[in-house]
Amino acid sequence: MSSKSHATLRYTSLRASIFLGCLLIALLLGHFGVIPVAGGSGVVFLVLLAGLVSAPISYVALSRQRDAMSEQIAGKVDGMRTRTAKRIAAQNAEEDAADDAARAAAQQN
């Protein structure tokens, strides 16, 4: 099995890991008073802060995984597009054959 077969899963799990790591650091900083946290809204603030910090880290650190995921998705979309085009062409050929047969039958009558 190639390394690109699970590119989406790999990227998503690494992205979630980076977010959870940032969240853990933010919660620890909040717990020790480095970041002032007051009640439930403070925890929401820490979650938003973790998301804000993890986004650029993921953008820089996971560029190869994101490219591999993009290639995997693009390949699947191209395959679906090709199969759909073949199916439509086959349906059109059947329709044309039925139309030609109906016209030939109408000309004979």
Side-chain angles (χ1 to χ4, degrees):
M1 203 172 264
S2 75
S3 64
K4 295 188 184 208
S5 64
H6 298 296
T8 304
L9 180 62
R10 183 176 295 112
Y11 173 77
T12 303
S13 63
L14 288 171
R15 177 74 176 93
S17 298
I18 289 172
F19 171 75
L20 291 175
C22 289
L23 181 61
L24 178 65
I25 291 170
L27 289 172
L28 286 173
L29 291 174
H31 177 72
F32 290 113
V34 177
I35 300 174
V37 179
S41 63
V43 174
V44 172
F45 169 72
L46 292 177
V47 170
L48 292 175
L49 181 65
L52 186 67
V53 170
S54 70
I57 293 171
S58 295
Y59 183 76
V60 172
L62 301 179
S63 64
R64 285 189 328 193
Q65 287 82 5
R66 190 173 45 256
D67 291 342
M69 180 181 68
S70 175
E71 288 176 19
Q72 179 187 19
I73 292 171
K76 287 183 179 182
V77 168
D78 286 342
M80 287 175 33
R81 189 175 292 145
T82 301
R83 287 190 305 273
T84 301
K86 287 180 182 178
R87 189 178 69 239
I88 289 172
Q91 289 173 347
N92 287 343
E94 287 177 20
E95 205 172 275
D96 289 344
D99 189 38
D100 290 344
R103 286 183 186 182
Q107 285 180 353
Q108 287 179 358
N109 290 336

